[in-house]
Amino acid sequence: MLFFNIIVSTCMTIATFKIAHSLMTNLYGFVVGLNACIAGTLDLLATFIVIDDHVLGLPPIQQYQVYSGFAVLFVVLYFCYKAMLLAFKTRQQDEKEPRVFLCR
């Protein structure tokens, strides 16, 4: 479980860096703060759903399994997104290159 927490913290740090790297300097605070607010709200909702006895009321081990499932889901969605971007970029490059036909 400690390993999962380390991975999540590392991913959050890398994601914050990637977001901040692509912004203008005067937007850093706003975007990072908004990102933290949205992440905190989603974390609060997920915690409420998983822990509260009126909703799911899961024991700690199953809570980590649910959180791990969410993390895996987001990783899969991210890789699908990157694969689609790569395919789209490759298709655009193919359309820009002139086609050469060789005659025998």
Side-chain angles (χ1 to χ4, degrees):
M1 290 178 217
L2 178 63
F3 182 71
F4 175 73
N5 288 336
I6 291 170
I7 295 295
V8 168
S9 296
T10 303
C11 289
M12 289 301 295
T13 304
I14 292 170
T16 302
F17 168 75
K18 288 288 204 179
I19 291 170
H21 182 69
S22 65
L23 296 176
M24 294 184 301
T25 307
N26 58 352
L27 293 176
Y28 285 171
F30 174 71
V31 171
V32 171
L34 182 65
N35 185 30
C37 180
I38 292 171
T41 303
L42 291 175
D43 187 37
L44 177 70
L45 287 173
T47 302
F48 175 74
I49 290 170
V50 170
I51 291 177
D52 191 22
D53 289 332
H54 298 295
V55 184
L56 290 179
L58 299 176
I61 297 296
Q62 288 180 340
Q63 292 173 21
Y64 273 103
Q65 291 171 345
V66 168
Y67 294 141
S68 299
F70 280 133
V72 168
L73 174 69
F74 288 130
V75 165
V76 168
L77 290 175
Y78 177 76
F79 279 124
C80 289
Y81 169 73
K82 284 298 190 177
M84 287 181 4
L85 283 180
L86 182 64
F88 182 71
K89 186 176 178 181
T90 304
R91 183 185 307 163
Q92 283 183 334
Q93 287 177 352
D94 287 345
E95 291 174 358
K96 288 181 183 178
E97 293 178 4
R99 299 196 186 262
V100 177
F101 297 102
L102 298 174
C103 297
R104 292 186 180 189

